[in-house]
Amino acid sequence: MRIADDKIDEIRNANDIVEVISGYVQLKKRGKNYLGLCPFHTEKTPSFTVSAEKQMYHCFGCGKGGNIYTFLMEMDKISFVEAVRSLATKAGIIIPEENIPATEEQKEFENYYAVCRFAGMHFFRNLTESEEGKEALAYFYKRGFTDETVRTFGLGYSLNSWDAFVLKAQADGFRIDDIAKVGLARTRDDGSLYDYFRGRAMFPIFSTTGRVIGFGARKMRDDDVIAGKYINSPESPLYDKSRVLYGLFHSKDFIRQEDNALMVEGYADLISLYQAGIQNVVASSGTALTEEQLKLIKRYSKNLTLVYDADSAGSSATIRGIDLALEHDLNVRIVELPEGEDPDSFVLKHGGAEFKERLANSISFIDFKAKQFQRSGAFTTAEGKTQAVRSLVQSIAKMKDELKRNFYVKDVAEKYGVYESMLYRELERALAQEKHTTRTESILKPASVKLQPDAEKPLTPEMTPIPPEEHDILKLILEGNSEVIHYLLSNISLGQFSNERMQRLAQFILDLYDDRGTIDATSIINEVQESEFKNLISDLVLSHYELSHGWQEMEKEIDEAEPMRIAKDAVVAIHRKNIQREREENLQLLEKAKMQGLEVKPYQQRAIELNELLKQLTTHRT
């Protein structure tokens, strides 16, 4: 059965869209709305707007928009039902079982999620119930993990068999294609499947909403033929390692509370710290930091602390991401551990309290890089010192904040006895090089090469510009003022709209209005099937009126605009355009009649009438 509309509205009203989106995007209050970097496309200047009042969002860069449900559907690749369930659980609202049709893509993703969830439970049962799993469980205990920690992170074990998981999954009704698509099995030449993970301790990898999307697997046996102590799930529709941070689902609220994200390398490092009470921690899983991972961190905090493990090549790769983090406007600090220690071993030997003390004494990226140069002996020669200081300035140049750059320049000048003026000249060169590199990359990037000017490209219906008066009329209709709607419908017809998209959308909204007697733009988004119209509605609701008669020039808030005045201006504009169009058509007919020697008086009379109508519109507001 279908979820009742009033229940959907109840759940939506019980959840604050700003709070929900803040779990994915770092928002700042601007006037009545909130602004942030769009999670749906790459941008440097925020254009993603969230309205707490209207409970809607819209990106004025890429055009995506909607309500709290469409946001979760888009971000987490879930169905409408899943979005409703998620928000109902968050609000403590009980809803009955329902059966709302999902799109084919949503069904596919639900199948993938179901397979991964099944795999997580299967591996957990192997660990806790099978004889073979006792060895892996003993390994976890040796690492100091408690039973509660094993349950919290869903740790497991894959049996040392070629097809134990595949056979179990098929017996439970999962399709071969889905099992292979999510990377849990591989295909032999004869088309049969075999288990991807065999005889390994399993670490489920969760999405930010807590759904299993992949696995990390730790070697348990000396006779394991697969190279590498750890292997991860291959890339799949659910799992892209460059866009995932292990442990983020468990730590995101703690990162927000502490306003700091602690970055470690491995699964065991994270779990040991989390169990020791250091819970604002994520793991890169041995990969170099990526832009996508840094964007994930920025959703929750602008402060990033890297844990440096001197003996780890993976950690060295993470340290190379310092400049990338600075480029993404993150504040970077470093925690140094003694040689031979990683976070896991350090906590096991010294405890969480001593690690917290090291965390409290973390150093800036400047001091860390300088220490690295000192250890290498760079500061013993003029050439080495020059190289070291230049490297520090090049890192400072990655920062977007000019004031912050100046403070770091002063810091370097004081610590290393260099004139500030010299450092500023070096900084200017580094900034110029940064701009040149960015411009060169933009030119050379294949995806950005244009085969023809934008002006020569045919506009798709979605790209066709919307006339200002039609934009304002539909915006007024969406606001649901009955008096204004009646005025509009009494003075124009939807057939006068030149934009066919606007005609269709206006008719759809007015049909709902006739049925219900009210208009709620946020609810209407749930009724609209086409994503194009969802985006258009959010754009209309959150954008300014376009026929403002100089209000913007007078720097008045757009909310001060009188709806009926805007409605009258829009009606006048539509009638004026229609009259001008008819004048042009009448003039063409007049010229044609003259050329063919036909009667021209009717056309001349109509020209006089149209001129008079246009004059009336110019001197009077309808």
Side-chain angles (χ1 to χ4, degrees), residues 292-575:
E292 290 79 10
Q293 289 171 336
L294 292 168
K295 287 175 185 175
L296 276 176
I297 290 170
K298 278 187 70 175
R299 293 178 185 176
Y300 308 100
S301 176
K302 288 186 69 175
N303 299 308
L304 173 64
T305 301
L306 303 171
V307 179
Y308 178 65
D309 171 5
D311 296 337
S312 171
S315 187
S316 297
T318 302
I319 294 304
R320 288 196 295 271
I322 286 177
D323 284 354
L324 189 61
L326 295 173
E327 204 170 317
H328 281 76
D329 203 25
L330 286 162
N331 304 315
V332 184
R333 297 189 69 80
I334 317 293
V335 169
E336 292 187 290
L337 297 180
E339 277 199 43
E341 298 281 14
D342 57 29
D344 179 35
S345 65
F346 185 91
V347 168
L348 200 58
K349 290 179 185 177
H350 307 287
E354 192 161 335
F355 188 92
K356 286 180 180 178
E357 188 176 335
R358 288 199 171 246
L359 181 57
N361 294 316
S362 62
I363 60 177
S364 71
F365 75 92
I366 289 288
D367 290 337
F368 171 75
K369 290 189 76 171
K371 275 189 176 185
Q372 302 295 64
F373 283 116
Q374 284 171 342
R375 285 171 184 153
S376 67
F379 282 98
T380 59
T381 67
E383 292 80 7
K385 190 173 182 179
T386 300
Q387 180 188 355
V389 172
R390 179 166 288 142
S391 175
L392 296 179
V393 173
Q394 287 170 347
S395 289
I396 293 171
K398 301 287 183 183
M399 296 175 171
K400 300 292 187 290
D401 189 324
E402 184 178 355
L403 183 60
K404 192 192 296 184
R405 289 200 303 259
N406 289 342
F407 281 126
Y408 274 104
V409 165
K410 288 180 182 296
D411 188 37
V412 172
E414 289 173 6
K415 285 181 177 177
Y416 305 107
V418 183
Y419 288 117
E420 282 186 33
S421 57
M422 293 179 65
L423 292 180
Y424 278 119
R425 285 198 293 272
E426 189 66 37
L427 179 63
E428 286 174 7
R429 280 194 288 270
L431 289 171
Q433 181 60 37
E434 281 287 310
K435 289 180 181 178
H436 173 74
T437 302
T438 303
R439 187 164 55 247
T440 303
E441 287 174 353
S442 175
I443 292 170
L444 296 179
K445 193 180 294 182
S448 67
V449 176
K450 297 181 178 180
L451 299 180
Q452 56 180 341
D454 287 345
E456 295 179 11
K457 292 181 180 178
L459 290 173
T460 64
E462 189 170 354
M463 293 168 59
T464 305
I466 299 169
E469 62 277 3
E470 296 177 24
H471 171 283
D472 286 2
I473 287 171
L474 197 45
K475 180 174 172 64
L476 287 164
I477 291 173
L478 282 166
E479 289 181 351
N481 184 313
S482 297
E483 183 184 358
V484 172
I485 292 173
H486 290 149
Y487 171 81
L488 290 170
L489 295 181
S490 299
N491 286 278
I492 60 168
S493 67
L494 297 185
Q496 289 178 282
F497 278 22
S498 62
N499 189 291
E500 188 267 341
R501 280 189 306 147
M502 302 294 276
Q503 277 188 39
R504 288 170 51 211
L505 184 55
Q507 189 61 63
F508 178 81
I509 295 168
L510 290 171
D511 287 344
L512 289 178
Y513 177 69
D514 289 340
D515 289 342
R516 301 171 184 176
T518 60
I519 289 176
D520 179 0
T522 315
S523 295
I524 288 173
I525 285 179
N526 298 333
E527 311 271 349
V528 176
Q529 297 300 315
E530 298 95 329
S531 60
E532 170 197 342
F533 285 141
K534 293 180 190 289
N535 298 337
L536 183 53
I537 290 171
S538 65
D539 183 7
L540 289 161
V541 170
L542 297 184
S543 62
H544 293 330
Y545 287 106
E546 296 190 1
L547 294 176
S548 60
H549 278 283
W551 295 328
Q552 289 177 339
E553 288 79 356
M554 293 186 290
E555 297 185 349
K556 288 187 179 181
E557 286 289 334
I558 200 65
D559 292 336
E560 295 178 18
E562 168 57 43
M564 188 59 78
R565 178 181 172 185
I566 296 173
K568 290 180 178 181
D569 289 342
V571 167
V572 167
I574 278 196
H575 284 310

Side-chain angles (χ1 to χ4, degrees), residues 50-196:
V50 183
S51 169
E53 178 186 359
K54 297 181 171 64
Q55 289 292 294
M56 295 180 72
Y57 69 91
H58 187 80
C59 175
F60 292 96
C62 68
K64 285 188 180 293
N67 61 15
I68 197 168
Y69 294 127
T70 59
F71 182 84
L72 288 182
M73 290 166 68
E74 183 78 25
M75 284 299 295
D76 298 330
K77 299 296 183 187
I78 58 177
S79 66
F80 178 73
V81 170
E82 284 294 318
V84 174
R85 282 178 179 162
S86 172
L87 292 171
T89 302
K90 182 178 172 64
I93 298 173
I94 299 173
I95 55 175
E97 288 298 312
E98 64 294 299
N99 183 21
I100 299 177
T103 65
E104 287 304 312
E105 183 184 21
Q106 289 167 348
K107 288 177 183 176
E108 278 187 17
F109 272 89
E110 286 304 316
N111 290 339
Y112 300 150
Y113 283 123
V115 174
C116 287
R117 181 173 178 271
F118 172 80
M121 293 189 295
H122 175 75
F123 296 142
F124 180 79
R125 284 194 293 268
N126 289 344
L127 178 74
T128 56
E129 299 174 10
S130 75
E131 189 66 26
E132 189 182 326
K134 287 182 179 179
E135 184 182 347
L137 190 57
Y139 163 76
F140 287 136
Y141 288 156
K142 185 179 178 182
R143 303 299 293 251
F145 300 166
T146 64
D147 288 336
E148 183 183 353
T149 294
V150 169
R151 285 192 299 271
T152 298
F153 288 91
L155 306 181
Y157 176 71
S158 56
L159 297 175
N160 189 29
S161 163
W162 282 101
D163 55 7
F165 174 74
V166 168
L167 292 177
K168 179 62 177 170
Q170 285 182 282
D172 277 52
F174 291 100
R175 299 185 309 176
I176 291 176
D177 286 350
D178 294 335
I179 298 169
K181 277 274 181 69
V182 295
L184 286 163
R186 286 189 169 178
T187 308
R188 296 187 179 95
D189 291 339
D190 63 2
S192 63
L193 295 185
Y194 64 93
D195 290 356
Y196 182 72

Side-chain angles (χ1 to χ4, degrees), residues 158-337:
S158 56
L159 297 175
N160 189 29
S161 163
W162 282 101
D163 55 7
F165 174 74
V166 168
L167 292 177
K168 179 62 177 170
Q170 285 182 282
D172 277 52
F174 291 100
R175 299 185 309 176
I176 291 176
D177 286 350
D178 294 335
I179 298 169
K181 277 274 181 69
V182 295
L184 286 163
R186 286 189 169 178
T187 308
R188 296 187 179 95
D189 291 339
D190 63 2
S192 63
L193 295 185
Y194 64 93
D195 290 356
Y196 182 72
F197 299 109
R198 302 183 301 281
R200 290 197 167 224
M202 302 299 293
F203 297 80
I205 299 168
F206 295 91
S207 71
T208 53
T209 57
R211 308 184 88 178
V212 180
I213 57 175
F215 295 88
R218 205 270 187 193
K219 185 176 183 177
M220 289 278 100
R221 302 171 182 276
D222 292 335
D223 60 354
D224 191 330
V225 296
I226 299 177
K229 184 186 292 186
Y230 282 91
I231 60 171
N232 291 336
S233 291
E235 302 283 303
S236 78
L238 299 183
Y239 178 66
D240 178 347
K241 65 181 179 182
S242 68
R243 297 174 179 270
V244 172
L245 286 169
Y246 179 73
L248 184 58
F249 167 65
H250 298 87
S251 66
K252 59 185 180 181
D253 290 336
F254 298 103
I255 292 172
R256 193 182 288 114
Q257 289 169 20
E258 297 289 334
D259 193 18
N260 185 23
L262 182 64
M263 171 75 73
V264 297
E265 180 187 346
Y267 304 117
D269 294 329
L270 179 140
I271 294 173
S272 290
L273 287 174
Y274 192 94
Q275 183 176 270
I278 300 116
Q279 296 173 308
N280 57 319
V281 57
V282 293
S284 61
S285 305
T287 63
L289 272 172
T290 66
E291 288 193 17
E292 290 79 10
Q293 289 171 336
L294 292 168
K295 287 175 185 175
L296 276 176
I297 290 170
K298 278 187 70 175
R299 293 178 185 176
Y300 308 100
S301 176
K302 288 186 69 175
N303 299 308
L304 173 64
T305 301
L306 303 171
V307 179
Y308 178 65
D309 171 5
D311 296 337
S312 171
S315 187
S316 297
T318 302
I319 294 304
R320 288 196 295 271
I322 286 177
D323 284 354
L324 189 61
L326 295 173
E327 204 170 317
H328 281 76
D329 203 25
L330 286 162
N331 304 315
V332 184
R333 297 189 69 80
I334 317 293
V335 169
E336 292 187 290
L337 297 180

